[in-house]
C-alpha cells in the first residue's frame, strides 16, 4: 500500500505541457524490471502498463491512473549505472542535443522517436552526470505531482557548480541565482522566477563510486514509515531520516542500487521553503 494520497493541505498538480527546461519525467533502467515493479509498487502504490519499446522493454508507472515515472530493462550486454534519470522538456530535441555537444556535453542516445509519445535524447553534462531531454508529442510527462508517490524535486550532486551551472543555463535557459549566503556551493535553477531544480557542489565528498549524478526526490506522507517499508522490501538506507530545508529527508537505494530520496514536505505548502536546497 502507498502512503495516503494528498496529505493534508496538499493537492496534486495535473499534467500540462512543460516549458522548455522544466523537469518533466523520470526514468529508471534496471536488469530485473519485474522485481523492480514489485518494489516500487509496494513502496509508492504504483501500477504499471507498457510504454514505448524503442530502447527495449519499458513500462510506465501509474499512481491512481496517472503516469508518474518509467522503468525499463537494460540490455544484458550494457554495463551502465543503475540510476534514476530526470528528463528536461525541449521544444526541439535535435537542437538541444546539438547545444549539449557544443557546450562540452555528450549525447549517448538519440535523438530518436519514442513512437507517438515524443522524441528523446539521453546525454551527460561535462562532468559526466546523465540526464534526458524530452520533446513531448502524445506523452507530456509526469501527469501529477505534489502527492505521495510522485517525483517532487531533482538535484545534481557534483564536484563544483561553476562549470556545470553555465552548461545547464546555456542548454536549457535556466536562470542562475547568486551564490548561497552561507558559503555553500549550491545553485538553484529557475525558470520564470520559479525554482525547478538545484545543483550542489560537494568537492571531495562526492562518492568515488558514483561520480557526479542527478538525484530524484519522491514525495512521501511519512518519511519514517516509508523508510521502514523500504528496508522491509529489500531497499537500503544511504542516509537516515533527517530534518532539511525542504522537509524530512532520507537518502536511499532500491535493491539494484538506484539511489533516490524520500521527502516528507511541510504539511502546509504556504510554509514550504522556496529557496531551500535538499540539505
Amino acid at each position: 500500500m502507498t502512503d495516503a494520497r494528498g496529505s493534508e493541505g496538499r493537492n496534486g498538480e495535473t499534467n500540462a505541457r512543460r516549458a522548455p527546461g522544466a523537469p518533466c519525467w523520470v526514468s529508471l533502467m534496471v536488469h530485473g524490471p519485474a522485481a523492480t515493479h514489485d518494489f516500487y509498487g509496494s513502496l509508492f502504490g504504483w501500477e504499471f502498463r507498457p510504454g514505448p519499446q524503442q530502447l527495449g522493454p519499458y513500462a510506465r508507472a501509474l499512481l491512481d491512473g496517472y503516469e508518474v515515472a518509467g522503468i525499463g530493462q537494460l540490455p544484458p550486454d550494457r554495463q551502465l549505472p543503475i540510476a534514476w534519470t530526470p528528463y528536461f522538456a525541449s521544444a526541439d530535441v535535435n537542437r538541444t542535443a546539438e547545444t549539449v555537444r557544443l557546450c562540452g556535453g555528450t549525447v549517448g542516445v538519440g535523438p530518436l522517436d519514442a513512437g507517438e509519445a515524443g522524441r528523446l535524447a539521453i546525454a551527460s553534462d561535462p562532468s559526466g552526470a546523465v540526464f534526458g531531454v524530452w520533446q513531448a508529442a502524445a506523452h507530456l510527462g509526469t501527469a501529477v505531482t505534489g502527492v505521495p508517490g510522485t517525483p517532487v524535486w531533482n538535484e545534481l550532486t557534483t564536484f563544483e557548480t561553476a562549470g556545470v551551472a553555465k552548461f545547464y543555463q546555456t542548454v536549457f535557459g535556466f536562470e542562475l541565482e547568486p551564490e548561497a549566503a552561507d558559503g555553500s556551493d549550491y545553485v538553484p535553477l529557475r525558470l520564470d522566477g520559479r525554482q525547478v531544480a538545484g545543483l550542489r557542489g560537494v568537492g571531495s565528498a562526492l562518492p568515488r563510486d558514483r561520480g557526479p549524478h542527478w538525484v530524484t526526490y519522491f514525495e512521501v506522507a511519512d518519511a519514517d514509515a516509508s523508510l521502514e517499508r523500504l528496508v522491509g522490501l529489500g531497499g537500503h538506507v544511504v542516509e537516515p531520516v533527517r530534518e532539511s530545508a525542504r522537509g524530512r529527508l532520507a537518502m536511499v537505494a532500491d535493491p539494484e542500487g538506484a539511489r533516490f530520496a524520500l521527502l516528507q514536505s511541510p504539511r502546509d505548502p504556504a510554509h514550504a521553503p522556496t529557496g531551500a536546497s535538499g540539505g
Side-chain angles (χ1 to χ4, degrees):
M1 298 292 291
T2 185
D3 294 318
R5 301 286 184 270
S7 54
E8 295 178 3
R10 300 183 61 79
N11 295 304
E13 299 175 10
T14 53
N15 203 15
R17 187 172 295 275
R18 269 65 166 196
C24 60
W25 189 244
V26 291
S27 190
L28 174 65
M29 303 294 285
V30 297
H31 296 295
T36 301
H37 293 178
D38 290 342
F39 173 82
Y40 286 101
S42 298
L43 182 63
F44 292 139
W46 292 351
E47 298 175 338
F48 296 88
R49 72 179 179 200
Q53 307 293 301
Q54 278 72 13
L55 298 179
Y58 189 81
R60 290 177 181 159
L62 283 72
L63 182 70
D64 293 340
Y66 292 99
E67 296 175 345
V68 294
I71 294 177
Q73 183 171 2
L74 280 170
D77 57 342
R78 298 290 296 275
Q79 296 300 316
L80 298 173
I82 309 296
W84 281 100
T85 300
Y87 281 70
F88 299 94
S90 170
D92 185 336
V93 70
N94 292 58
R95 180 175 296 178
T96 301
E98 183 59 26
T99 305
V100 166
R101 295 187 185 99
L102 291 173
C103 293
T106 302
V107 178
V109 176
L112 56 81
D113 288 323
E116 298 179 352
R119 282 175 61 75
L120 67 87
I122 300 175
S124 56
D125 66 27
S127 74
V130 176
F131 62 93
V133 182
W134 181 250
Q135 180 181 338
H139 177 62
L140 300 182
T142 301
V144 63
T145 61
V147 296
T150 63
V152 67
W153 184 249
N154 292 284
E155 190 166 279
L156 174 67
T157 301
T158 189
F159 292 107
E160 52 83 27
T161 63
V164 291
K166 297 298 292 184
F167 169 86
Y168 287 102
Q169 180 185 42
T170 304
V171 172
F172 292 114
F174 293 128
E175 304 147 12
L176 304 182
E177 289 190 346
E179 254 183 66
D182 62 2
S184 63
D185 186 10
Y186 188 83
V187 177
L189 301 178
R190 290 180 176 267
L191 286 175
D192 297 325
R194 184 174 68 91
Q195 285 190 32
V196 296
L199 311 177
R200 177 181 298 280
V202 297
S204 60
L206 189 73
R208 294 185 178 181
D209 62 334
R210 296 282 299 168
H213 58 281
W214 282 91
V215 177
T216 296
Y217 290 50
F218 291 95
E219 184 75 36
V220 295
D222 185 323
D224 298 282
S226 295
L227 189 66
E228 183 177 354
R229 182 182 304 127
L230 174 137
V231 172
L233 294 168
H236 309 284
V237 179
V238 179
E239 297 177 12
V241 176
R242 61 184 172 86
E243 297 293 337
S244 79
R246 299 199 76 87
R248 290 179 56 73
L249 172 70
M251 301 300 294
V252 298
D254 68 20
E256 284 207 26
R259 294 190 180 188
F260 59 101
L262 302 174
L263 179 65
Q264 178 186 337
S265 297
R267 293 297 186 189
D268 183 357
H271 295 96
T274 58
S277 70

